[in-house]
Amino acid sequence: MRQKWKKLISYYKPYKGLFISDTLFAIIGAGISLGIPLIVRYITNNIIHLSPEEAFEGILKLGILMIVLVLAGAFCNFYISYFGHMMGAKIEYDMRSEIFQHYQKLSFSFYDNQKVGQLMSRITNDLFDISELLHHGPEDAVISFIKLIGSFSILFLINWRLAFIGLALIPIILIYAILFNRKMKKAFKRNRVKIADINAQIEDNLSGIRVVKSFANENIENEKFKIGNDGFLSAKRNSYQYMGGYFSGMEAFTTMITIVVLIAGTLFITQNVIQVVDLITFLLYINNFTEPIKKLITLTESFQNGFSGYERFLEILDIVPEIQDAADAKDIKQVTGDISFEDVSFRYEENTQKVLSHVNLEVKAGSYVALVGSSGTGKTTLCSLIPRFYDVTSGVIKVDGIDIRKITLNSLRSAIGIVQQDVYLFTGSVMDNIKYGRPGASDEDAIEAAKCANAHDFIMGLPNGYDTDIGQRGVKLSGGQKQRLSIARVFLKNPSILIFDEATSALDNESEKVVQESLELLAKNRTTFVIAHRLSTIRNAQRILVLTENGIEEEGTHEDLIKIDGVYKNLYNLQFTRIN
Ligand code: ADP
Ligand code: MG
C-alpha cells in the first residue's frame, strides 16, 4: 500500500509548481469566500448606523473591496479550474504513455489471455477517473477543510448556541448522504459495467459486420443489442433514482438548516441573545458550511473510483513481460541464418500438454525447409519459438550458434521476416504499410520491394497508387493483394530468416501462383521455413519435415518421403484424391 501511494505521489513531481500554485489559489479562493460575509457583517454592523454621507463613502469603499475580492475569487477559480485540470491532464498523459509503452512490451502469452476492450478501458476510463482524482482530490480537500473549519469557527465565535443548533442537523445529513451516496455509487458502477458490455458488443458487431450481413443476421444482432441497451437503460434509471434522492434530499436538508437557524435565531433576537446582524451572518455562512460537506462526500466517492482505477492501472504495469532482454543480451548484426533446435520442448501454459517435445533440428543458413503435418501438430508453434514469441520450456534454440535468449529481442526479430495467412494491415496508405517493414525507408526502396513482391502493377492500378488509403485492416484490397503487400513489407525489411506460415492457404489458385512466385524470390539466399497446407507448393523443397503429435516423425525430400510410405504419403494421397 505504501508503495502504491509513493508511486502515486511521484506522478505529481514533474508538476510541483502547478500543484503548489493550484493549492495556493484554492486556499486564497476559500479565504475569499469566507471573507465576503464578514464584510457584509461589518457593513450591517457599522455602516448602517452612520450618517448618509459617511455611509456613502464607507459603503462605496467596501463595495469596491468586495468587487475586487469577487474578481480575485473568480481568478482563483479560473486558475484552479484551468491549470488544475491541465495538471490532471498532464499526469494522465504521462500515465497513458506509460501504460501504452508497457503494452508494447508485454508478451504474446499476456495477449493470449486478454480482451482488447478491457485493455482499452484501462487507457481510457480508468485513467480519466485517476486524473479527476489527482486533480480534484487535494484541491477539493483543501478548499473544503478551510471552509468547514473557517465557517464553523466564525459561527461559533459569533454565537456558539446558535452554531450548535445549526449543526444539529449535520449528523442526519451525513448519514443520509453517506447512505444515498453509497447506493448511487453502486448504481453508477453498474452503469459502467453495462456500458462496457455495450461497447464490447458494438465493437464485436462492427468488426464482424460483414459476417453479420452475409448471414443476414441483422435482426438477431438488433435483438441482442436491445437486451444490452435495455439493461443499460434500467441501470441508468436506477442510478438516476438514487441521484434524484440524493440531490433533492441534500437540497431539502440544507434549506432546513436555514429554516432552523432562522427560527432559533429569531427567537434569540426576541430574547436579546443575538443581534439581527448575527442572524444575517449565520444565514450567509450556511452555504459555506454545507457545500464543503457535500464536496467531501463526493470526494470520497471519486477517491474510491480513482483509486480502484489506479490499482487496475498498477496491476497492468506490475506485469513483468514474460519475454524480455536478458541482462547480458547482445545485438547480432550480420545474421547468417543457421538455426538449431536442441532438445526443445514447449508447452503454452503450466500443467497443459506439451505441444513440442524433445525436438532436435539443424538448419543450415540459406536452406529451404518445409514443415507439414495435420492441423494442431505444432507447426506454427515451432516457428513462433524462433523469434521468441514464446520461450522454450526446456532445451535451446540457437541462431548462428548463439542461444536466442542471449540475443536482444530487437536484433533477433529484425533478422526474421514472417508472412502469415492472416495479413494485418494498418489503417493508412499502401506506402505506409510497405514502409512498416523498415520505417524510414525511401519511397524508391519501398517501390522496389513492391515490384519484387509482384505488387507494383496492382498498386499502380489503385485510384491513388501508393497513396491509396487501404481502409481499416485493408478491406479495400483482395486477399492476394493484401498478401503481396505483406510480402513487400518483408522484402523491404530484408531479413536473413523467413517464416511463411500458410502464406498462400487462403488464396485462390491464380493469386496463389503470383504470391508463390514472389515468396520464392524472397526466399532466395535466406533461411526459410515454409508451413504449407497444399503439399504441391513445397514439392521442390530440399527438406521436408513431417510433424505429428510425436514430434518430427519423418524427414527428407518429397521423393524420399513418398518412398517411406508413412505419414507424408498418407497426407499426400489424401490431398491428391481430394483435389481430383
Ligand atoms: P499447427 O500450426 O500445426 O496447426 P499450432 O502450433 O497452431 O498447430 O497449435 C499446436 C497446439 O497448440 C494446438 O493444440 C493448439 O490448440 C495449441 N495452441 C496454439 N496456440 C496456442 C496459444 N496461444 N495458447 C495455448 N495453446 C495454443
Ligand atoms: Mg498453424
Side-chain angles (χ1 to χ4, degrees):
M1 209 31 151
R2 251 186 79 186
Q3 217 66 31
K4 282 182 191 168
W5 276 101
K6 243 181 160 170
K7 188 163 168 59
L8 189 65
I9 290 165
S10 76
Y11 285 105
Y12 282 109
K13 283 219 175 106
Y15 311 109
K16 236 183 274 163
L18 264 184
F19 179 77
I20 292 171
S21 55
D22 188 47
T23 315
L24 204 67
F25 280 113
I27 294 172
I28 298 172
I32 289 175
S33 46
L34 281 177
I36 287 179
L38 277 184
I39 300 175
V40 175
R41 177 177 168 79
Y42 180 81
I43 292 170
T44 26
N45 233 351
N46 301 303
I47 307 269
I48 48 174
H49 304 300
L50 299 177
S51 66
E53 290 80 23
E54 284 169 330
F56 177 74
E57 201 179 318
I59 195 80
L60 197 66
K61 274 186 196 154
L62 289 172
I64 290 170
L65 175 65
M66 282 197 288
I67 288 171
V68 170
L69 283 178
V70 168
L71 290 178
F75 176 76
C76 290
N77 281 334
F78 171 77
Y79 192 93
I80 55 182
S81 171
Y82 174 57
F83 288 102
H85 272 115
M86 275 318 291
M87 178 180 70
K90 283 177 179 171
I91 294 177
E92 189 187 340
Y93 172 94
D94 293 341
M95 291 175 132
R96 195 162 42 225
S97 313
E98 194 177 355
I99 196 168
F100 187 81
Q101 283 165 15
H102 194 67
Y103 279 156
Q104 307 306 303
K105 282 190 211 144
L106 288 171
S107 310
F108 280 58
S109 54
F110 169 78
Y111 290 102
D112 287 347
N113 298 309
Q114 296 288 330
K115 289 198 190 101
V116 175
Q118 279 171 350
L119 295 177
M120 281 181 58
S121 84
R122 296 278 176 286
I123 291 198
T124 51
N125 295 349
D126 285 354
L127 283 189
F128 179 74
D129 286 348
I130 299 170
S131 100
E132 279 293 288
L133 171 67
L134 289 180
H135 156 220
H136 287 296
E139 157 202 307
D140 279 355
V142 165
I143 295 176
S144 302
F145 275 116
I146 291 177
K147 281 192 179 172
L148 210 58
I149 292 168
S151 54
F152 178 75
S153 313
I154 293 168
L155 293 179
F156 193 83
L157 285 178
I158 292 171
N159 188 284
W160 65 269
R161 265 182 283 187
L162 193 53
F164 274 121
I165 290 173
L167 287 182
L169 277 175
I170 296 291
I172 303 171
I173 296 185
L174 273 181
I175 292 168
Y176 180 84
I178 288 167
L179 280 183
F180 253 90
N181 207 56
R182 191 172 294 161
K183 292 204 167 157
M184 198 161 84
K185 205 186 100 211
K186 276 196 188 144
F188 274 107
K189 210 170 200 167
R190 269 200 300 277
N191 279 356
R192 289 192 154 214
V193 175
K194 295 281 181 205
I195 189 69
D197 287 351
I198 288 197
N199 283 340
Q201 206 178 345
I202 295 174
E203 194 201 308
D204 206 27
N205 171 277
L206 293 182
S207 316
I209 194 77
R210 289 167 185 81
V211 181
V212 171
K213 286 179 174 299
S214 66
F215 280 94
N217 274 349
E218 290 92 336
N219 284 338
I220 293 177
E221 289 293 318
N222 285 336
E223 287 293 310
K224 257 202 300 194
F225 188 69
K226 187 174 183 304
I227 297 172
N229 210 2
D230 284 347
F232 186 40
L233 181 64
S234 74
K236 277 207 146 176
R237 179 177 297 122
N238 201 248
S239 59
Y240 288 142
Q241 277 163 357
Y242 288 123
M243 202 168 98
Y246 174 74
F247 284 111
S248 55
M250 290 305 278
E251 196 63 45
F253 278 124
T254 322
T255 319
M256 252 184 268
I257 293 185
T258 316
I259 296 169
V260 169
V261 167
L262 195 66
I263 294 170
T266 312
L267 290 179
F268 280 171
I269 290 172
T270 59
Q271 292 160 12
N272 251 338
V273 180
I274 60 167
Q275 308 295 309
V276 175
V277 60
D278 295 329
L279 182 58
I280 293 173
T281 315
F282 261 80
L283 294 177
L284 284 174
Y285 270 109
I286 282 173
N287 234 353
N288 264 327
F289 197 77
T290 50
E291 184 207 2
I293 292 178
K294 288 187 227 166
K295 221 174 204 162
L296 285 175
I297 291 164
T298 334
L299 187 61
T300 58
E301 184 198 357
S302 68
F303 177 80
Q304 280 161 340
N305 271 345
F307 206 79
S308 60
Y310 174 63
E311 284 181 322
R312 282 195 293 270
F313 166 79
L314 285 187
E315 260 170 40
I316 297 274
L317 284 191
D318 283 344
I319 297 172
V320 181
E322 217 164 280
I323 293 179
Q324 50 183 339
D325 287 340
D328 56 349
K330 296 212 163 41
D331 280 339
I332 40 169
K333 295 266 155 51
Q334 293 290 323
V335 178
T336 324
D338 289 313
I339 295 172
S340 64
F341 280 61
E342 296 172 10
D343 199 32
V344 169
S345 295
F346 176 75
R347 58 162 60 95
Y348 276 99
E349 275 161 69
E350 269 176 61
N351 304 323
T352 56
Q353 218 173 352
K354 276 185 187 163
V355 178
L356 299 172
S357 162
H358 304 289
V359 172
N360 284 289
L361 186 62
E362 281 283 342
V363 177
K364 283 264 158 325
S367 58
Y368 192 89
V369 179
L371 279 171
V372 300
S374 332
S375 181
T377 47
K379 305 180 293 294
T380 299
T381 306
L382 189 145
C383 289
S384 65
L385 295 180
I386 304 172
R388 281 188 80 199
F389 291 161
Y390 302 88
D391 266 343
V392 296
T393 311
S394 67
V396 188
I397 297 175
K398 290 179 178 168
V399 167
D400 287 0
I402 311 167
D403 183 340
I404 52 172
R405 287 167 296 194
K406 297 271 162 60
I407 302 172
T408 56
L409 279 177
N410 198 310
S411 69
L412 175 69
R413 291 178 182 168
S414 299
I416 303 172
I418 303 176
V419 183
Q420 285 163 308
Q421 181 177 343
D422 279 333
V423 178
Y424 195 99
L425 296 174
F426 292 98
T427 314
S429 69
V430 169
M431 190 54 111
D432 296 338
N433 270 284
I434 296 176
K435 284 189 181 171
Y436 203 79
R438 193 172 84 218
S442 67
D443 284 4
E444 289 73 34
D445 287 349
I447 292 169
E448 187 53 39
K451 283 181 180 161
C452 294
N454 275 335
H456 181 70
D457 289 343
F458 93 76
I459 294 172
M460 292 315 284
L462 294 173
N464 292 317
Y466 281 87
D467 293 327
T468 309
D469 189 84
I470 58 159
Q472 196 159 29
R473 298 201 61 178
V475 286
K476 296 186 193 163
L477 300 174
S478 77
Q481 291 172 333
K482 278 195 275 190
Q483 195 55 288
R484 279 177 274 164
L485 280 192
S486 85
I487 294 169
R489 205 155 64 173
V490 179
F491 262 112
L492 195 59
K493 185 177 181 183
N494 193 20
S496 312
I497 301 165
L498 291 173
I499 295 167
F500 301 154
D501 190 349
E502 314 230 13
T504 59
S505 298
L507 306 178
D508 56 273
N509 287 339
E510 202 174 329
S511 336
E512 180 179 13
K513 240 184 91 202
V514 186
V515 171
Q516 188 66 31
E517 249 175 55
S518 43
L519 285 176
E520 271 161 28
L521 187 65
L522 177 59
K524 236 177 219 151
N525 299 323
R526 306 176 210 257
T527 313
T528 308
F529 287 84
V530 183
I531 300 173
H533 176 65
R534 290 192 199 123
L535 298 182
S536 52
T537 54
I538 48 111
R539 229 179 128 143
N540 298 324
Q542 301 144 354
R543 194 172 167 199
I544 300 172
L545 306 173
V546 185
L547 223 61
T548 68
E549 280 73 27
N550 310 320
I552 301 174
E553 192 149 314
E554 295 168 7
E555 178 173 351
T557 59
H558 172 75
E559 282 72 29
D560 296 338
L561 293 172
I562 289 290
K563 273 185 220 142
I564 301 177
D565 196 10
V567 183
Y568 181 82
K569 192 175 177 197
N570 228 337
L571 281 171
Y572 189 81
N573 284 342
L574 228 92
Q575 281 198 1
F576 190 72
T577 43
R578 201 170 51 211
I579 288 165
N580 291 283

